[in-house]
Amino acid sequence: MLPTSAHAGQVVTILIMAVALGMDALSLGVGIGMKGIRLREVLRISTIIGFFHILMPLLGMFTGHYMSSLLGHVTTYFAGGLLTLLGGHMVYNSFKGDGVQALDHRSPLGLLLFALGVSMDSFSVGVSLGMFQSDLVLSVLAFGFCGGTMAMLGLLLGRKVSRNLGDYGEAVGGAILLAFGFMFMF
C-alpha cells in the first residue's frame, strides 16, 4: 500500500524532527568524547540515550493527546509555540557556553542525569506531536534511533575533533525546531 502525500509529509517531518532532537545528543556526545572515552562506554551511553529518546517523547505524546482532547484546536497553536520556545532555548544554550560538569557521566547517577537531560526536549516535542495526532510508533522509534545513533556519532567524533562542532550542532537542531514551530503556528 502506497503512503498518501499527507502520510509521507508526516514521515518526513518526524524524521527531520528526530534528527533535530538528536543534534543535542550529538553535540553533548562530542563534549564527553573529547574527555576520552572507551568504546564500551560509547555503546552504553548511546543505548541509554536512545532508550530515553523513546521514553520521553512517548510520555510527552500521551500528555499531548490528553491536552488535545481537552482543548481542541487551540492545541495546534500551543504545540507550535512549544516547539518555537524549545528551538529558541536550544539555540540560546548553544551560544551561552558550557558549564562545569559536576557529575561523572560514567557513574549510574551521572549517566541517568545526562541521558535525561539530553532527552528532556524530546518530551516537549512529544507533547506537541501528541496534540497533532502523529504516528506514535514511527515517532518514538525514529526519535530513539536518531538519538542513540547521533549520541554514538558524537561520542566517537569527540574522540577525533575539536569541541566547537558540538555548539554548532545544537544550534542547527534548535533552528530546525524553531522553523517547525513557526510552520505549525502559521
Side-chain angles (χ1 to χ4, degrees):
M1 178 171 165
L2 294 173
T4 65
S5 63
H7 181 68
Q10 183 183 35
V11 169
V12 169
T13 300
I14 288 170
L15 291 177
I16 291 172
M17 291 175 81
V19 169
L21 290 172
M23 287 291 193
D24 201 20
L26 176 92
S27 63
L28 293 174
V30 169
I32 287 179
M34 290 285 297
K35 297 175 183 174
I37 190 167
R38 301 174 84 167
L39 290 178
R40 183 173 5 128
E41 290 294 313
V42 168
L43 183 61
R44 187 173 129 226
I45 291 171
S46 59
T47 300
I48 291 178
I49 288 173
F51 171 74
F52 271 86
H53 267 75
I54 289 173
L55 179 66
M56 296 304 286
L58 185 62
L59 293 173
M61 289 175 90
F62 288 132
T63 303
H65 181 67
Y66 177 71
M67 288 175 63
S68 178
S69 66
L70 291 177
L71 301 175
H73 294 297
V74 174
T75 58
T76 301
Y77 297 109
F78 179 75
L82 188 61
L83 285 175
T84 302
L85 289 173
L86 179 61
H89 186 275
M90 285 175 66
V91 170
Y92 172 75
N93 281 341
S94 71
F95 292 112
K96 184 177 73 172
D98 293 334
V100 177
Q101 184 175 348
L103 289 173
D104 180 15
H105 64 274
R106 294 179 190 123
S107 72
L109 179 61
L111 180 57
L112 176 68
L113 291 176
F114 175 68
L116 186 62
V118 169
S119 304
M120 191 56 70
D121 50 357
S122 297
F123 175 81
S124 303
V125 172
V127 170
S128 300
L129 290 175
M131 291 178 190
F132 290 121
Q133 306 297 324
S134 68
D135 186 335
L136 177 82
V137 174
L138 174 67
S139 297
V140 297
L141 290 179
F143 287 7
F145 178 77
C146 285
T149 300
M150 293 181 82
M152 182 180 290
L153 289 174
L155 291 165
L156 293 172
L157 191 60
R159 295 174 65 177
K160 304 281 182 196
V161 298
S162 74
R163 188 177 190 102
N164 290 338
L165 178 64
D167 293 339
Y168 294 120
E170 187 174 4
V172 169
I176 290 171
L177 289 181
L178 264 171
F180 277 111
F182 285 129
M183 184 178 75
F184 288 145
M185 287 192 305
F186 300 109

